[in-house]
Amino acid sequence: MSEQPTQEPMVRAEGVCKHYGRLEVLKGIDLEVAPREVMCVIGPSGSGKSTFLRCINHLEKVNAGKLWVDGELVGYRQHGDKLHELREHEVAEKRREIGMVFQRFNLFPHMTALGNVIEAPVQVKGIPKAEAKQQGEDLLTRVGLADKADAYPNQLSGGQQQRVAIARALAMKPKLMLFDEPTSALDPELVGEVLAVMRGLAEDGMTMVLVTHEMGFAREVGDSLVFMDGGVVVEKGKPRDVISNPQHERTQSFLAKVL
Amino acid sequence: MSAPKTPRARAIRAVQYLVLLAAILVLALLADWRQIGVTFFDPVAIAGQFPGVLSTALVNTIFYTVLGFAFGFPLGLIIALMRMSQVAPYRWLATAYVEVFRGVPTLLVFIALGYGVPIAFNARYDNWFAVMLALGLVGAAYTSETIRAGITGVPQGQVEAADSLGMTRPQAYRTVIIPQAFRIVLPPLTNELILLAKDSSLVYALGLTIDEYELTKWGQVGLTEFKSLTSVIVAGLCYLVLTIPLGYLSRYLERRGTVAASRVRKNTANPA
């Protein structure tokens, strides 16, 4: 891991809480993700791991605590002691620097693979279409789908769709990528191709936070592993250490089930 | 249809055919065919309809329908967006609008716009303008509900994907939500066009010059002119020439849309 202690963290969470009505989903999360770090978040369903991920790009509003991405507060502006909620377009602007990949791909079904990839660069960033197309084709090549540029999502397998989704997120040139169980909706034989693309990203130095059940990937590619349960971080450490020598009883029983 | 399997089922089917045959025979024997022919299919009256029934009446029916749709569709879109607005008074206004114009007879709207509004506001306008307003206002109420259903029918994951790419709300609407909603609403929208075409007949309440006659009025006038119902039959057939293809188009779009929508659901449904 290339973490330097003096470096500003890419993601910093301080006492992040989230509740839906009376249901407390996050009960004070403190975490830091360094630039170029790959952090894997595991935990039973309902542990709040996806919710935490969605707080990072403000798809969910934090109820208490603070979150910073690259030194900037997420969703709010600080004036002295007071926090002011950002306007919708300001939130949108900040999201452009954070890529997100969803469990169900969420590709736009009425656009081709290339169309999906270039839509945001053209619409949001105002990049000329020819240039965006060139970049889009390069990205599709990078995820191994150069020949599928003109295919519509429904003509692609789940693994291919997810790779297009990754290319789509990368097209905005994000400095941070969030993956929300990117392989959970895939048939087992398609998981590998998606993980391979993610591994390539990690090797290129992308900062990544991913919620996953792929323990092998976490062990080999992850720089850190976080185990969440009941809305809190139960344990955090180097993947190898956490997996082979979990300190906490809840971590032990969870790992015993998934390994 | 497959052949009935049991003797009992075969017997029941035979009885049904016999009853049908008997009914046809009785009608054929009792009916006064000459009278029916004169009443509904008088050759002189048929000849008398053309070419005006096409060049004036059919053209005007299409013209009124298109006018009503051209005004009603954008208005319906605006009302649908108002109904989903974050600003409560917009929602109230839109809801009230839909309730009113869905709840009163279209004929009433025609009369109000043809006679009431010109007097009240001292405004003078041609009949075509009144038709556009009346059909548009009523059509918008139905269209807005259809569009709203289409927009809420776009999976939440699509909105989140647009959000995560940093699109603003207007950008997300323009490039992601509306194009998908449009596919969902195209079939019901085609049906509304059929209703609009039929409702354009209510323009008779405004009092028309011959040049403004549409199909229903044309057929009605033919009644007295030829002392025969033939003109009504001709007008009816002209409506069918318009509406039956639209009906087929609607069903075709529906079939295509269902396939597309199920693909969308498969790709983006979020069971979690």
Side-chain angles (χ1 to χ4, degrees), chain A residues 54 104 107 110 123 154, chain B residues 158 160 174-175 263 267 269:
Chain A
R54 293 159 60 85
R104 294 276 163 170
L107 288 180
H110 57 300
Q123 288 289 334
N154 59 19
Chain B
Q158 293 289 306
E160 288 183 358
R174 200 175 59 237
T175 64
R263 282 170 186 155
N267 293 343

Side-chain angles (χ1 to χ4, degrees), chain B residues 209-240:
Chain B
T209 66
I210 293 177
D211 287 344
E212 291 170 335
Y213 283 6
E214 43 66 61
L215 285 170
T216 299
K217 181 71 182 171
W218 185 275
Q220 207 183 0
V221 169
L223 276 181
T224 44
E225 197 179 338
F226 294 96
K227 306 276 184 291
S228 158
L229 278 168
T230 307
S231 61
V232 174
I233 299 287
V234 173
L237 287 173
C238 287
Y239 277 112
L240 294 182

Side-chain angles (χ1 to χ4, degrees), chain A residues 3-49:
Chain A
E3 193 178 5
Q4 294 150 21
T6 53
Q7 213 167 1
E8 175 101 27
M10 182 59 82
V11 180
R12 186 148 70 93
E14 260 184 30
V16 168
C17 294
K18 174 74 190 174
H19 58 81
Y20 300 104
R22 285 209 188 138
L23 180 69
E24 281 186 80
V25 184
L26 299 176
K27 301 173 187 167
I29 303 289
D30 299 298
L31 273 178
E32 279 190 12
V33 185
R36 304 172 71 82
E37 180 177 342
V38 176
M39 176 186 278
C40 297
V41 183
I42 60 170
S45 66
S47 60
K49 52 197 195 308

Side-chain angles (χ1 to χ4, degrees), chain A residues 54 57 59-60 88-89 92-93 95-96 98-100 102-111 116 119-120 123-124 153-154 161 168-169 172, chain B residues 86 156-171 174-177 179-180 183 260 263-264 266-272:
Chain A
R54 293 159 60 85
N57 69 349
L59 280 183
E60 304 284 351
E88 215 169 74
H89 71 92
E93 249 165 61
R95 283 200 186 114
R96 286 162 204 175
I98 306 169
M100 183 148 191
F102 299 88
Q103 182 180 0
R104 294 276 163 170
F105 331 134
N106 297 359
L107 288 180
F108 305 135
H110 57 300
M111 299 178 194
N116 266 278
E119 189 60 33
Q123 288 289 334
V124 176
N154 59 19
Q161 288 189 53
R168 176 176 72 174
M172 292 300 283
Chain B
Q86 312 227 340
Q156 182 61 20
Q158 293 289 306
V159 183
E160 288 183 358
D163 281 348
S164 77
L165 289 166
M167 288 189 195
T168 59
R169 242 332 102 93
Q171 282 168 339
R174 200 175 59 237
T175 64
V176 175
I177 301 169
Q180 288 185 57
R183 292 177 169 205
R263 282 170 186 155
V264 173
K266 206 173 80 191
N267 293 343
T268 53
N270 199 344

